[in-house]
């Protein structure tokens, strides 16, 4: 089944109307803190991150302060977050790189972001979208699964799916498709069992045809 432009527009319109076109970013004072918050969110819930970061960022006001802190001090602020020991090490190293290699400013290209400790392609793309409004498609497990079910992409890995979605979707939808499909994937189109009977997109879905 090939996706028609008419059907794609209907699907995107439904996602906009159902999940909105903007989302609230993690609490932060500066771009480096937003990057850290996104790093912390990996394999953790937004609730866990939201609970940890106000105290974390009230204590650490600059990337330099994190770079100069002991690992144990950083850990003490993020113990509620999954994999906190590994994330504390990455935070310290990442902030050290930001200070020493980028003059204290978080880089604005995906290539430079990927040189930072603990920053993968998903984190980098999401950061650029949230911090600087730079268009990009962030492919996590929900986007990967649902975009393939809908026939938007066929790729075998997140990078291939990212490239396909950038070709298939209008650019103005790139930044928001991630959180829209996350919400849809959590509530209806789950990995374990998709609730197709309650899904308005089922009529377009390859899973159903």
């Amino acid at each position: 089944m090939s996706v028609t432009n008419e059907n794609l527009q209907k699907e995107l319109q439904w996602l906009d109307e159902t999940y909105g076109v903007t989302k609230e970013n993690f609490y932060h004072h500066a771009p480096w803190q937003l990057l850290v918050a996104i790093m912390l969110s990996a394999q953790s819930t937004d609730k866990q991150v939201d609970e940890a970061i106000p105290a974390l960022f009230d204590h650490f006001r600059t990337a330099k302060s994190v770079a100069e802190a002991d690992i144990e001090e950083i850990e003490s602020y993020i113990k509620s977050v999954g994999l906190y020991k590994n994330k504390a090490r990455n935070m310290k190293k990442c902030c050290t790189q930001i200070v020493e290699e980028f003059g204290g400013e978080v880089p604005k290209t995906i290539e430079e972001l990927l040189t930072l400790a603990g920053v993968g392609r998903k984190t980098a793309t999401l950061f650029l979208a949230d911090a600087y409004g730079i268009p990009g498609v962030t492919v996590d497990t929900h986007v990967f699964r649902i975009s393939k079910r809908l026939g938007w992409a066929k790729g075998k890995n997140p990078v291939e799916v990212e490239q396909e979605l950038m070709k298939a979707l209008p650019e103005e939808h790139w930044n928001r498709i991630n959180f829209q499909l996350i919400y849809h994937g959590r509530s209806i189109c789950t990995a374990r069992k998709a609730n197709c009977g309650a899904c308005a997109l089922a009529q377009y879905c390859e899973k159903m045809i």
Side-chain angles (χ1 to χ4, degrees):
M1 183 185 73
S2 60
V3 179
T4 67
N5 184 63
E6 181 182 0
N7 285 348
L8 177 62
Q9 292 302 319
K10 290 178 180 178
E11 294 169 76
L12 295 176
Q13 182 179 353
W14 183 84
L15 289 169
D16 283 351
E17 292 172 350
T18 304
Y19 301 114
V21 298
T22 60
K23 69 177 178 65
E24 185 175 339
N25 292 330
F26 288 116
Y27 169 89
H28 66 284
H29 305 295
W32 73 267
Q33 293 178 332
L34 178 59
L35 179 64
V36 164
I38 294 171
M39 291 168 60
L40 292 177
S41 70
Q43 296 182 309
S44 299
T45 65
D46 288 354
K47 184 174 183 292
Q48 288 175 317
V49 178
D50 284 333
E51 289 175 351
I53 56 179
L56 175 70
F57 293 155
D58 284 346
H59 181 74
F60 295 108
R61 292 302 184 104
T62 65
K64 186 180 180 195
S65 66
V66 177
E68 294 175 346
D70 293 332
I71 294 290
E72 293 76 13
E73 182 183 9
I74 299 171
E75 288 178 353
S76 70
Y77 284 91
I78 61 170
K79 283 188 175 180
S80 62
V81 175
L83 305 175
Y84 75 93
K85 286 184 175 291
N86 184 56
K87 290 176 181 178
R89 288 193 296 271
N90 282 334
M91 276 177 59
K92 180 176 174 67
K93 185 174 181 181
C94 177
C95 288
T96 299
Q97 290 176 279
I98 289 172
V99 171
E100 295 182 354
E101 299 173 24
F102 298 99
E105 299 292 330
V106 182
K108 295 185 179 181
T109 68
I110 195 164
E111 292 78 14
E112 290 176 314
L113 283 167
L114 291 176
T115 68
L116 299 175
V119 178
R121 192 170 189 88
K122 182 176 72 172
T123 295
T125 305
L126 188 57
F127 169 78
L128 290 173
D130 289 351
Y132 302 131
I134 297 174
V137 176
T138 306
V139 179
D140 67 354
T141 57
H142 295 290
V143 175
F144 187 79
R145 178 180 72 255
I146 297 172
S147 63
K148 293 181 71 172
R149 285 179 175 175
L150 290 171
W152 295 354
K154 306 290 185 183
K156 297 180 180 179
N157 58 62
V159 175
E160 290 180 358
V161 170
E162 176 188 332
Q163 296 303 314
E164 289 179 278
L165 291 180
M166 290 173 71
K167 293 179 181 178
L169 304 179
E171 187 172 301
E172 63 267 24
H173 286 268
W174 290 3
N175 288 353
R176 61 184 183 260
I177 201 65
N178 175 257
F179 75 81
Q180 289 176 337
L181 293 189
I182 285 177
Y183 294 155
H184 193 60
R186 288 174 178 171
S187 61
I188 296 176
C189 193
T190 64
R192 182 172 296 181
K193 185 179 180 181
N195 186 8
C196 300
C199 183
L201 301 180
Q203 59 187 306
Y204 311 112
C205 188
E206 290 193 347
K207 180 180 174 64
M208 298 291 292
I209 296 176

